[in-house]
Amino acid sequence: MKGAGVTRGRAHDPNVCGVTAAISVIDGKWKTMLLWLLESGPHRPAELRRRAPGLSEKVLTQALREMEADGLVHREVHDVLPLKTVYSLTDFGRELSEALAPLSDWGHRRLEKMATP
């Protein structure tokens, strides 16, 4: 990922701290949103794009491929015409999503704190 502070390669470095390893698999603008969207159940790529305005097809494909390689999402292709591809969270992805919930809560509290003078 160009310009990213945490590289994907660091996710596999045994000498890096666990938080850095975890952040490296969700680094970027869209992966946490994709995790959140997939928590509600399987989605087709077009559904994910509709629910994430500004997410290009190219970036969505790249993010989903990386998340699949990291074991967070499962890609299922149905042999129908046209081909139907569906993405869902793996147990490992669901575990990460649950682990991020307290961090999300903290982030919302921070935003509220910043909003009050």
Side-chain angles (χ1 to χ4, degrees), residues 3-114:
V6 181
T7 64
R8 287 183 41 74
R10 303 271 318 224
H12 306 289
D13 182 349
N15 299 314
V16 74
C17 83
V19 173
T20 301
I23 289 173
S24 69
V25 297
I26 56 166
D27 193 31
K29 182 176 180 179
W30 299 103
K31 289 182 182 178
T32 52
M33 176 180 272
L34 291 171
L35 272 175
W36 179 75
L37 290 171
L38 290 170
E39 276 183 341
S40 66
H43 283 75
R44 297 187 66 191
E47 295 170 326
L48 292 169
R49 281 198 58 217
R50 274 194 300 276
R51 297 189 62 196
L55 175 57
S56 72
E57 185 172 350
K58 177 184 175 185
V59 172
L60 173 64
T61 299
Q62 179 182 347
L64 288 170
R65 284 184 182 157
E66 289 175 4
M67 292 171 75
E68 182 180 15
D70 289 328
L72 304 177
V73 299
H74 172 72
R75 178 177 178 257
E76 187 174 341
V77 179
H78 298 271
D79 194 16
V80 295
L81 290 177
L83 285 179
K84 179 181 174 184
T85 304
V86 178
Y87 288 90
S88 58
L89 286 183
T90 62
D91 289 341
F92 197 52
R94 196 167 309 287
E95 186 180 328
L96 174 61
S97 186
E98 290 169 7
L100 289 173
L103 184 61
S104 175
D105 293 342
W106 182 89
H108 285 294
R109 287 192 306 276
R110 178 182 179 271
L111 291 171
E112 289 170 8
K113 186 177 182 179
M114 291 174 56

